[in-house]
Amino acid sequence: MTDVDVMLVAEVLGVPVHRLYMLSSDRMPRNKRGGSYSNYHKSVIYSGRSKKKRVLTVPNGFLKTVQRRILHRCLYKLPVSEYATAYCKGRGPADNASPHTGKDYIIKLDISDFFGSINDDAVYMVMKQLKLTPRATSLLTHLCVHNGVLPQGAPTSPYLANLVMKHFDGRIGSWCAERNISYTRYSDDMTFSGRRGDLLASGLTGRVRNMLYSMGFELNSKKTVFAVCSQRQTVTGAVVNEKVNVPSELRRKLRQEVYYCTRFGVEDHLARCGSGEAPKAYISGLLGRLSYALQLRPDDEWLRSGFEKIKAMSNDI
């Protein structure tokens, strides 16, 4: 007899129980012609404009649809920490940067292999908060993990990661507040700021390392950054020495790109640059950079104008 809560999950997601179990077990069923479907996840290599490569584990169309329903109909009922600024509605890079403006000293720490370090046990503990039966909780868990960990590329993974980190955020955030230290986290990037003496005397890095280790995470020591107020301080790409601002070199580059695109056209601009990038992909990336800059400076009229010009051009490509 089917578990009542499993039937409830199927009803909420709009997918029959047997299909949910087929997805959750990551099986490869045979089709009528004797071939096999591809696995429900595939690994792809993504290379951004920085040429940095990363491996994404992307669900196929059907599983992605189910995961989006889990995200919107189930997971969004669970609030994340106030210190989490990525993958949250109404929060973004500016919210991550603003608590650190005008600070004497900044420490930035990075978590190694963030998504790959979150296993199915951690996800199950999050799903338990939905107060369903163990069978239904297990079903939801296995719809969101792949090979026992969070897949980087699934729509549910970022928000689940925030929920996994909620207890850590609360503990380290309260600890920092008692010592006049500001704390925010943007995915795997943690930022701490305050007076130099308070930060250096607190044993912050060791405490964070030990707390993360107990959760199965490790710090990436190669990405640890210390920045004093006499040098340029950046948080998630934003300059924060006096106020949240767009780095001058990024703004200058955006002005050039918008100018050349509007004057010569996208294809001619790419040809002049000697770029082999497809116009559609280039415009998409440029819109993303303009959107990011606008999040940092929503009052900037030029950025808004440039965004609207490039958005209009994108409709013709």
Side-chain angles (χ1 to χ4, degrees), residues 198-218:
D198 290 337
L199 282 162
L200 295 182
S202 66
L204 172 69
T205 303
R207 187 175 187 86
V208 171
R209 180 183 290 109
N210 291 337
M211 289 177 64
L212 289 174
Y213 184 78
S214 69
M215 298 170 64
F217 295 106
E218 290 185 10

Side-chain angles (χ1 to χ4, degrees), residues 32-301:
K32 293 181 179 179
R33 296 183 179 179
S36 64
Y37 298 115
S38 61
N39 195 296
Y40 282 97
H41 293 76
K42 61 179 181 179
S43 294
V44 298
I45 301 295
Y46 171 82
S47 179
R49 290 179 63 83
S50 64
K51 305 304 179 183
K52 180 181 178 181
K53 294 184 179 180
R54 56 177 176 158
V55 178
L56 300 182
T57 306
V58 183
N60 70 7
F62 181 42
L63 180 53
K64 185 178 291 186
T65 296
V66 171
Q67 289 175 338
R68 283 176 176 155
R69 291 177 184 176
I70 293 173
L71 179 64
H72 290 276
R73 301 175 188 181
C74 302
L75 296 179
Y76 279 161
K77 294 179 180 179
L78 304 175
V80 300
S81 162
E82 62 183 290
Y83 301 100
T85 56
Y87 320 124
C88 308
K89 290 182 179 180
R91 304 184 203 174
D95 301 284
N96 189 60
S98 58
H100 308 290
T101 56
K103 296 297 180 66
D104 178 41
Y105 201 63
I106 289 177
I107 298 178
K108 294 190 287 187
L109 304 176
D110 178 86
I111 303 173
S112 297
D113 190 21
F114 184 47
F115 290 98
S117 299
I118 299 175
N119 61 27
D120 47 7
D121 288 336
V123 176
Y124 183 87
M125 295 305 294
V126 167
M127 294 299 186
K128 281 184 68 174
Q129 297 175 44
L130 295 171
K131 301 187 184 304
L132 300 172
T133 61
R135 184 171 295 179
T137 302
S138 180
L139 174 60
L140 284 171
T141 298
H142 287 98
L143 284 167
C144 297
V145 300
H146 176 59
N147 288 339
V149 299
L150 275 188
Q152 186 175 356
T156 43
S157 292
Y159 200 77
L160 276 169
N162 275 339
L163 291 170
V164 168
M165 292 294 291
K166 183 177 180 179
H167 183 60
F168 169 87
D169 287 338
R171 286 182 60 197
I172 198 67
S174 297
W175 183 86
C176 286
E178 293 171 358
R179 291 160 178 78
N180 297 313
I181 298 171
S182 297
Y183 164 65
T184 60
R185 181 180 56 79
Y186 194 89
S187 186
D188 54 355
D189 295 321
M190 297 169 290
T191 305
F192 305 85
S193 64
R195 292 192 296 267
R196 180 186 178 96
D198 290 337
L199 282 162
L200 295 182
S202 66
L204 172 69
T205 303
R207 187 175 187 86
V208 171
R209 180 183 290 109
N210 291 337
M211 289 177 64
L212 289 174
Y213 184 78
S214 69
M215 298 170 64
F217 295 106
E218 290 185 10
L219 281 181
N220 185 346
S221 57
K222 294 181 180 179
K223 291 188 177 182
T224 297
V225 175
F226 303 92
V228 298
C229 59
S230 59
Q231 64 187 110
R232 189 171 77 164
Q233 297 170 322
T234 61
V235 176
T236 45
V239 179
V240 296
N241 290 73
E242 297 180 1
K243 62 180 181 179
V244 177
N245 213 340
V246 180
S248 57
E249 62 271 22
L250 174 59
R251 184 184 175 82
R252 185 166 53 249
K253 183 74 163 54
L254 290 173
R255 288 185 73 93
Q256 290 176 343
E257 291 186 83
V258 171
Y259 172 77
Y260 287 128
C261 285
T262 53
R263 178 170 181 178
F264 303 110
V266 178
E267 292 186 5
D268 283 354
H269 167 54
L270 291 174
R272 286 168 180 264
C273 295
S275 172
E277 192 171 6
K280 188 172 183 179
Y282 170 76
I283 284 292
S284 177
L286 179 54
L287 279 173
R289 295 192 297 281
L290 284 164
S291 177
Y292 164 76
L294 266 174
Q295 289 182 64
L296 300 180
R297 290 296 304 274
D299 58 338
D300 192 305
E301 293 298 330

